[in-house]
Amino acid sequence: MRKLLLLVRISKPAYNKTLYQDYKIYMNRQKNFRDPKYNHGQHDKYEGAILRGPCDVKYFEDGKEKQVHLNNDGIMYKENNAYIFCMYKVEFDEKSYDKKNNTFYHNISWDYIKSLWDDKDDLEMMIIKNTNVFFRKFLDASNREGKKCARGLVKYDLQEKIHDKVYFEKALEDDFEAIYHKVNDYKEQEEYRLTVINENSGDFLELSLDNDNSLMFDILPIKEYGKNIIIEISDLEFDPQTNMPIRFSAALQYVEPIKIIESQY
C-alpha cells in the first residue's frame, strides 16, 4: 500500500545537494526553528511547545517533583536534542485521480512555496521518488550511529494539545511526541519529518546515508514568482485489496500552471 507517493523539499540548491549529491541528510535542531531569524516557512514560536499558560502544573522528571507556573504568555517547551529534516508529502487522493488516463495530479500551492521564497537566492524543488528506499537508508544510518530515530506526518492540532494535561505528560515521557504536532497556521506545509535524537551536536547534524546511487530524484528550479506547481504521476498500479497505489512511473511530469495574479511587494 502506498498512500504516500512522493516527498518534496523546496530549499536552496546548496542544501538540497547535500542529499542528492552527497547522500547526507542535513538536519536542523528543533529548537532553532523558534528563532525569529528564520523566514515564515520555517519560523514557528510554538515549535516543541508542550504547555501554554495561564496554569500551574506539578510533574515528575528524572525522579524529582517539579512545579511550573506559566502566565498568560508563558510557554513550556520539550528540550530533547531533536534534529529534524522537513519535507512536503504527496499522498494519493482519489479525488485527484483521472481513472481514464490513469494519471494522478497533485497541486503544490503557491501559498506554500511563497513562505519559502527569497528573491536574493535561488530556490529549487527536490522530489524523492522512491520513498521506501529513502526511509530504509535513514533507518540504517540512524542505527549505524546508535541514534534513536522516528519518522511520520505532522498533525496540525497543537493549539488544542498545549492546553491538554494528558498531552503534556505524554510529551514529557516521549522523546518524539512534541515533534509531530504544530499549530494549524502551518497546515499548508503538509509536512513529513525525519527525526533523530542526538546529545552531542550543535545547531545542525549531518546524517550520512549509504551512497549506492539507488535513490531517485527529480530537481526542478523555481525561477518565477507566483506559480503553483502541478505534478503528474502516471501508470499507477493498485493493490486490489486496499485500492492504493503500489507502484507508478518514475517519469513524472510537471505542468506549466497559470500564473497567479499577485503583487510581489
Side-chain angles (χ1 to χ4, degrees):
M1 181 178 78
R2 293 195 62 173
K3 186 175 182 182
L4 177 68
L5 301 180
L6 306 169
L7 290 169
V8 173
R9 185 171 172 87
I10 296 177
S11 186
K12 297 177 183 178
Y15 297 153
N16 283 342
K17 286 177 182 177
T18 302
L19 179 56
Y20 67 74
Q21 285 189 356
D22 303 330
Y23 269 52
K24 293 180 180 179
I25 303 177
Y26 184 97
M27 310 184 82
N28 285 294
R29 199 169 190 170
Q30 183 186 21
K31 70 178 184 180
N32 289 356
F33 291 113
R34 301 198 293 265
D35 191 327
K37 74 178 181 182
Y38 283 87
N39 63 30
H40 172 71
Q42 298 168 311
H43 170 65
D44 177 6
K45 75 174 184 177
Y46 293 110
E47 182 66 63
I50 58 176
L51 189 66
R52 185 177 183 184
C55 67
D56 292 284
V57 62
K58 290 183 179 181
Y59 63 98
F60 284 89
E61 191 173 56
D62 300 327
K64 298 178 182 179
E65 184 179 77
K66 298 185 179 183
Q67 182 168 339
V68 168
H69 167 72
L70 297 177
N71 60 25
N72 287 345
D73 299 318
I75 303 173
M76 183 174 175
Y77 298 95
K78 173 76 172 184
E79 302 296 0
N80 57 358
N81 291 314
Y83 290 76
I84 299 171
F85 186 71
C86 307
M87 294 163 287
Y88 175 100
K89 66 176 176 66
V90 176
E91 288 190 322
F92 180 76
D93 184 343
E94 193 174 354
K95 291 181 291 187
S96 301
Y97 175 59
D98 180 349
K99 189 173 182 179
K100 181 179 178 181
N101 295 306
N102 193 13
T103 302
F104 172 74
Y105 301 89
H106 183 86
N107 178 50
I108 300 179
S109 168
W110 172 249
D111 287 341
Y112 169 59
I113 302 168
K114 181 181 177 181
S115 68
L116 302 168
W117 180 267
D118 185 343
D119 59 6
K120 300 180 184 67
D121 296 290
D122 289 336
L123 198 65
E124 71 179 12
M125 185 170 78
M126 173 179 67
I127 301 92
I128 303 172
K129 298 191 283 188
N130 51 348
T131 56
N132 287 340
V133 175
F134 179 59
F135 292 148
R136 186 177 68 248
K137 286 183 176 295
F138 167 67
L139 180 60
D140 289 346
S142 300
N143 289 340
R144 190 165 54 241
E145 297 193 18
K147 301 187 189 304
K148 294 172 66 177
C149 68
R151 64 178 177 87
L153 300 173
V154 171
K155 297 178 181 177
Y156 298 94
D157 57 0
L158 185 58
Q159 58 277 4
E160 291 88 24
K161 291 284 187 182
I162 54 177
H163 298 287
D164 184 346
K165 187 179 178 184
V166 174
Y167 172 71
F168 169 72
E169 292 173 346
K170 187 175 181 181
L172 281 178
E173 295 174 3
D174 188 323
D175 282 333
F176 297 104
E177 183 67 27
I179 296 164
Y180 292 94
H181 298 273
K182 296 182 73 171
V183 295
N184 60 11
D185 294 1
Y186 297 92
K187 195 171 183 179
E188 77 278 358
Q189 292 180 347
E190 297 285 352
E191 191 172 341
Y192 195 103
R193 288 183 161 186
L194 303 183
T195 311
V196 299
I197 305 299
N198 184 56
E199 303 295 338
N200 303 308
S201 190
D203 287 339
F204 69 91
L205 169 72
E206 284 189 345
L207 188 68
S208 296
L209 307 182
D210 179 30
N211 189 349
D212 59 3
N213 294 316
S214 61
L215 288 174
M216 299 173 64
F217 300 98
D218 275 358
I219 308 299
L220 184 70
I222 300 175
K223 298 293 187 183
E224 256 192 277
Y225 185 92
K227 283 191 175 183
N228 294 2
I229 296 174
I230 300 170
I231 303 175
E232 288 187 6
I233 303 174
S234 60
D235 299 330
L236 290 86
E237 296 181 31
F238 292 83
D239 184 324
Q241 303 282 325
T242 64
N243 253 354
M244 286 292 170
I246 52 176
R247 60 182 61 88
F248 50 86
S249 172
L252 306 179
Q253 298 294 319
Y254 302 93
V255 179
E256 184 71 14
I258 298 171
K259 187 168 183 178
I260 298 167
I261 300 173
E262 176 188 318
S263 171
Q264 186 173 344
Y265 303 101

